[in-house]
Amino acid sequence: MTNKHKRLFYIFYLVIAFLCTTELHAQNEKYEQDVIEEITTFFKGLNAKDTTLIKTTLAKEVSLRSVLIKNEEKMLVTDSISSFLRQIGMLPKDLMIQEKVTNTQVYIRFPMASVFTDYEFFINNEKSHSGINFFTLVYLDDAWKIVSIMDTRE
């Protein structure tokens, strides 16, 4: 192979590598947008006490765990998603809840994604507690679905 052919081959290789990288980056950005949209929908449902909307974000089986932190002690609590949804659905209509989420970080290794957020939880505009949320999502049936929710409560 002549030097000219080697250079052409090298340039061709770089162009293909660049195009593949660009396409992969664009796909990851799309996945990240979709994951954030799913988490946003979950919180819209939670803040509206709309269990039907929350359910649209969930896989068929979801694990739900909390780490309760009080005076340096930590306790792991497991709950069922059906119990969580039932509790949300039973809240009085005049009770206002809001979970304010900040510092959202998304990590994707297709077909899985993890999302960390800081949060503050308010009941009738008074801060109840704060902590960290950790969601695990899986790309199932052409959509991102939450398969695990873990939070800390401080």
Side-chain angles (χ1 to χ4, degrees):
M1 190 181 284
T2 67
N3 282 341
K4 182 178 178 182
H5 286 113
K6 286 180 184 178
R7 272 191 301 227
L8 287 174
F9 179 76
Y10 181 71
I11 290 169
F12 176 76
Y13 175 77
L14 287 176
V15 168
I16 295 297
F18 174 76
L19 291 174
C20 290
T21 303
T22 302
E23 185 173 326
L24 182 60
H25 180 69
Q27 186 64 51
N28 279 343
E29 283 183 4
K30 169 77 169 108
Y31 288 152
E32 185 169 335
Q33 290 171 357
D34 293 345
V35 166
I36 289 172
E37 185 176 314
E38 204 69 16
I39 297 300
T40 300
T41 301
F42 174 86
F43 284 114
K44 282 181 184 174
L46 178 65
N47 292 336
K49 299 180 281 188
D50 183 346
T51 57
T52 302
L53 184 57
I54 294 171
K55 286 178 189 177
T56 67
T57 67
L58 305 175
K60 290 179 184 171
E61 293 185 34
V62 179
S63 67
L64 184 60
R65 293 189 173 86
S66 294
V67 178
L68 306 179
I69 303 170
K70 191 171 187 175
N71 300 330
E72 304 277 333
E73 286 190 40
K74 297 170 190 74
M75 184 170 68
L76 181 64
V77 177
T78 301
D79 198 0
S80 72
I81 197 67
S82 60
S83 174
F84 169 76
L85 293 170
R86 190 170 39 256
Q87 291 169 20
I88 297 298
M90 291 175 28
L91 291 172
K93 294 215 183 282
D94 61 342
L95 183 78
M96 192 171 80
I97 62 170
Q98 183 180 24
E99 187 156 336
K100 293 182 181 178
V101 176
T102 59
N103 194 28
T104 301
Q105 299 174 33
V106 179
Y107 303 96
I108 298 174
R109 296 271 314 258
F110 191 81
M112 299 188 311
S114 59
V115 179
F116 281 94
T117 72
D118 296 329
Y119 78 90
E120 293 181 313
F121 192 83
F122 295 83
I123 300 174
N124 290 331
N125 294 317
E126 288 189 33
K127 185 176 174 182
S128 168
H129 60 277
S130 61
I132 302 165
N133 289 316
F134 175 65
F135 294 86
T136 306
L137 296 89
V138 176
Y139 195 79
L140 301 167
D141 301 322
D142 295 327
W144 289 99
K145 294 296 175 186
I146 298 169
V147 296
S148 173
I149 304 169
M150 186 173 218
D151 70 342
T152 63
R153 296 184 194 167
E154 301 173 37

